[in-house]
């Protein structure tokens, strides 16, 4: 297992955040977007996403139904947009944050920190992720969050464990992050997050050991 400090790569190599849509919007459109996402977060938390309609969100946000549908399309897209807001902070920390999640720690330590942080984030957003990812079962793996996670893992695995099959190792670490699997383990089998996180760390350690 590599123990050397992680070399900070050029910004072009690192996972990049999507441009914030609010930066390219008129002030009123950006304001409406924030109101819609805040309303959706509130209602989803209070009632559960399956019991909230797009009309409910429009009413809570104080925007027209046409505005809501033009911007977000459907409830699944709204759910994924809401998660995207939360995921942006994680991606920023992956790129520019403090170690061990951000640059400055050995690659193996950064990988372990990534697993803990991303699993915690997805647990906190589990219901909205299930609703969003269920609607795009294949396309979700090409979505911006997955693309950023995939690149981040590939870069760090290539440094921490040169010589392993980085592509398949990356997919092995991404697979347990799927919202439907987490939902099944947490809600149907009542498996504690501590066990899920420990299993992710164990999988990572096994992959890294292949380079020893």
């Amino acid at each position: 297992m590599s123990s050397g400090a992680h070399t900070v790569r050029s910004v072009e190599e690192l996972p990049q955040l999507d441009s914030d849509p609010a930066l390219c919007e008129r002030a009123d459109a950006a304001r409406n977007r924030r109101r819609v996402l805040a309303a959706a977060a509130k209602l989803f938390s209070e009632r559960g996403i399956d019991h909230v309609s797009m009309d409910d969100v429009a009413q809570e946000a104080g925007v027209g139904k046409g505005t809501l549908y033009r911007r977000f399309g459907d409830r699944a897209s709204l759910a994924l947009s809401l998660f995207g807001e939360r995921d942006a902070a994680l991606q920023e920390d992956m790129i520019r944050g403090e170690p061990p999640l951000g640059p400055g720690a050995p690659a193996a330590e950064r990988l372990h920190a990534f697993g803990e942080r991303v699993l915690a984030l997805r647990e906190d957003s589990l219901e909205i992720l299930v609703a969003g990812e269920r609607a795009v079962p294949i396309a979700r793996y090409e979505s911006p969050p997955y693309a950023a996670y995939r690149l981040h893992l590939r870069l760090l695995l290539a440094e921490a464990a040169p010589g392993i099959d980085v592509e398949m190792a990356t997919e092995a670490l991404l697979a347990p992050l799927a919202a439907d699997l987490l939902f099944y383990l947490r809600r149907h089998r009542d498996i504690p997050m501590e066990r899920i996180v420990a299993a992710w760390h164990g999988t990572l350690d096994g992959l890294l050991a292949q380079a020893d």
Side-chain angles (χ1 to χ4, degrees):
M1 184 184 303
S2 171
S3 59
H6 173 58
T7 302
V8 178
R9 300 176 184 273
S10 66
V11 172
E12 290 78 9
E13 289 184 278
L14 293 168
Q16 297 297 302
L17 298 172
D18 285 349
S19 297
D20 185 348
L23 297 178
C24 304
E25 295 171 326
R26 300 189 316 272
D28 59 339
R31 182 170 59 252
N32 283 341
R33 180 174 183 276
R34 291 192 296 269
R35 289 168 65 181
V36 166
L37 292 175
K42 176 177 181 290
L43 293 177
F44 292 167
S45 176
E46 291 175 350
R47 306 181 192 176
I49 191 169
D50 290 338
H51 302 288
V52 177
S53 68
M54 291 289 277
D55 289 355
D56 293 334
V57 174
Q59 182 176 0
E60 178 71 23
V63 302
K65 296 177 185 178
T67 297
L68 178 62
Y69 280 97
R70 281 193 301 272
R71 183 57 190 266
F72 295 99
D74 55 28
R75 191 173 59 181
S77 297
L78 175 57
L80 290 178
S81 294
L82 181 58
F83 177 73
E85 295 282 307
R86 301 173 181 179
D87 185 66
L90 167 62
Q91 291 192 38
E92 178 66 23
D93 287 346
M94 286 158 52
I95 298 170
R96 302 182 182 88
E98 295 295 321
L101 182 61
E109 290 184 18
R110 295 191 66 191
L111 286 163
H112 280 291
F114 166 83
E116 289 197 9
R117 177 74 177 273
V118 76
L119 281 166
L121 172 64
R122 294 178 79 80
E123 160 71 2
D124 288 343
S125 307
L126 196 49
E127 279 73 18
I128 65 171
L129 273 173
V130 168
E133 292 189 1
R134 185 183 295 150
V136 285
I138 301 301
R140 69 187 183 192
Y141 294 111
E142 300 299 330
S143 65
Y146 271 95
Y149 299 164
R150 182 175 287 109
L151 178 56
H152 188 70
L153 288 171
R154 289 187 67 163
L155 289 172
L156 293 179
L157 283 168
E159 181 172 340
I164 70 168
D165 186 339
V166 170
E167 182 176 10
M168 294 314 301
T170 295
E171 298 303 329
L173 293 171
L174 284 174
L177 305 182
D180 54 356
L181 175 59
L182 284 176
F183 187 88
Y184 169 69
L185 295 176
R186 294 289 290 125
R187 304 296 189 264
H188 290 263
R189 295 182 57 186
D190 200 27
I191 294 178
M193 275 304 295
E194 291 80 3
R195 285 184 61 193
I196 296 172
V197 172
W200 198 92
H201 287 314
T203 300
L204 172 60
D205 284 336
L207 291 168
L208 295 179
Q210 295 179 28
D212 290 347

